[in-house]
Amino acid sequence: MQVIFIRHGEPDYSHVERRGFIGHGLDLGPLTPDGIQQAEQAAADPRLDGIQLIVASPYTRALQTAAIISRRRDIEIAVEVDLHEWLPDTTYTTGGAAIWLEQYRALRAAESGILPDIEAFESVFSRAKAVLKRYAHYDKIAVVAHGVLIRQFTPRASLGYCGITEFAYHDGIQWPGAADMPDW
């Protein structure tokens, strides 16, 4: 099966931060106007020609991106809970996005750029691989998800908002190891 991975568009966390949301509440942030435009441009990309289904992360930024592509392409969306982002705080009690980002950067600095919780990233791969397996009967799908998830299949130094990369799924795929993450 051919998988077209699409990273979500640029998110806007200001609305949820003003409301004091923390942890998982941050994932309710919609796209910025630029993020909407990025999704519109991604929808026109010829690599999406022939997709039979859009599979999306349940996070607002990914769902909104998928909805824009779905509208432009007239393709059904399937929402998959297990296509979620890496969870640095499984207690869901971490403060706003700026605090989360500060903690993430501190972890990277402490480990000379290598994330210490490699098992967390392998679990992102395992969850997503199980999702992809459920759609293996399709010839070509688009998956709208997150940079960390996409990099577990196609390690890249950089994948911008609404960046697109292709992947050939097969049952025997193995985790390629900890992919280098960008300095967000």
Side-chain angles (χ1 to χ4, degrees), residues 125-176:
F125 174 83
S126 296
R127 280 190 283 103
K129 179 182 173 184
V131 168
L132 293 177
K133 185 175 184 171
R134 288 195 292 273
Y135 297 96
H137 60 283
Y138 286 91
D139 295 321
K140 185 176 183 180
I141 65 171
V143 174
V144 181
H146 311 278
V148 168
L149 184 146
I150 294 167
R151 280 188 210 82
Q152 302 315 305
F153 293 87
T154 60
R156 294 175 60 149
S158 177
L159 184 63
Y161 292 123
C162 282
I164 297 174
T165 188
E166 299 176 68
F167 178 75
Y169 169 84
H170 57 86
D171 257 355
I173 60 170
Q174 299 293 316
W175 185 55

Side-chain angles (χ1 to χ4, degrees), residues 54-181:
I54 300 168
V55 182
S57 160
Y59 291 12
T60 302
R61 58 194 179 271
L63 281 175
Q64 189 176 4
T65 301
I68 291 166
I69 295 168
S70 172
R71 177 180 44 83
R72 289 277 308 264
R73 292 277 179 163
D74 194 25
I75 302 289
E76 182 181 338
I77 300 172
V79 178
E80 286 285 349
V81 173
D82 283 337
L83 289 181
H84 64 76
E85 184 68 278
W86 166 59
L87 299 175
D89 174 22
T90 56
T91 68
Y92 305 106
T93 59
T94 302
I99 294 169
W100 182 90
L101 190 55
E102 184 179 310
Q103 291 173 345
Y104 178 81
R105 286 184 175 141
L107 286 173
R108 283 186 51 84
E111 295 292 325
S112 302
I114 299 172
L115 292 162
D117 191 359
I118 298 304
E119 289 178 17
F121 289 100
E122 190 169 11
S123 75
V124 170
F125 174 83
S126 296
R127 280 190 283 103
K129 179 182 173 184
V131 168
L132 293 177
K133 185 175 184 171
R134 288 195 292 273
Y135 297 96
H137 60 283
Y138 286 91
D139 295 321
K140 185 176 183 180
I141 65 171
V143 174
V144 181
H146 311 278
V148 168
L149 184 146
I150 294 167
R151 280 188 210 82
Q152 302 315 305
F153 293 87
T154 60
R156 294 175 60 149
S158 177
L159 184 63
Y161 292 123
C162 282
I164 297 174
T165 188
E166 299 176 68
F167 178 75
Y169 169 84
H170 57 86
D171 257 355
I173 60 170
Q174 299 293 316
W175 185 55
D180 189 26
M181 300 297 138

